[in-house]
Amino acid sequence: MLPARNRLRESGQFRAVLRGPGGARAGGPLMVVHAATTDPQGVRAPRVGFVVSGAVGGAVVRNRVTRRLRALVAPRLTGMPSGCDLVVRAAPASAGASFAELEAELDRCLGRALAKVR
């Protein structure tokens, strides 16, 4: 579980990352990572939200993918700039991916998205 200060919770927060100005995205076959600086002063801790739709699979599969993504993102929060928000959107192929494949894809997409935002 991510700390409360590091979670996106409301649809407006997700919308600000996905459609707001100055955002960036990077994607691959397993996921798309959207990043945006929503707090220019950098006072707020980085926040993360996950979108795992029904296209990924049933409830058990979606929850497993979400847990894996959450476990992968949590240690990477310290390397993210303050005031930055992320939305990790899982693709249907993520249901059959191993933990190592998800990790490699997340590192690649996260690095590319954050490089565009900074």
Side-chain angles (χ1 to χ4, degrees):
M1 180 70 75
L2 293 174
R5 64 187 172 93
N6 294 116
R7 283 185 258 161
L8 293 176
R9 296 178 179 194
E10 300 172 9
S11 63
Q13 296 170 339
F14 280 83
R15 197 176 312 114
V17 177
L18 296 173
R19 297 192 181 111
R25 74 172 183 218
L30 302 178
M31 70 187 71
V32 178
V33 175
H34 299 265
T37 301
T38 57
D39 180 20
Q41 288 79 28
V43 176
R44 193 188 61 245
R47 299 182 299 181
V48 181
F50 301 95
V51 177
V52 183
S53 73
V56 173
V60 173
V61 174
R62 289 194 314 268
N63 287 332
R64 183 178 60 233
V65 169
T66 304
R67 282 193 309 272
R68 286 179 173 185
L69 290 174
R70 192 181 310 121
L72 289 169
V73 168
R76 290 161 176 80
L77 284 173
T78 56
M80 289 176 50
S82 296
C84 184
D85 289 344
L86 287 181
V87 172
V88 180
R89 195 165 40 99
S94 63
S98 69
F99 195 80
E101 290 169 333
L102 285 173
E103 183 175 29
E105 183 82 8
L106 178 66
D107 286 338
R108 189 178 65 77
C109 292
L110 186 60
R112 286 176 43 209
L114 289 178
K116 293 178 189 176
V117 170
R118 291 181 184 167

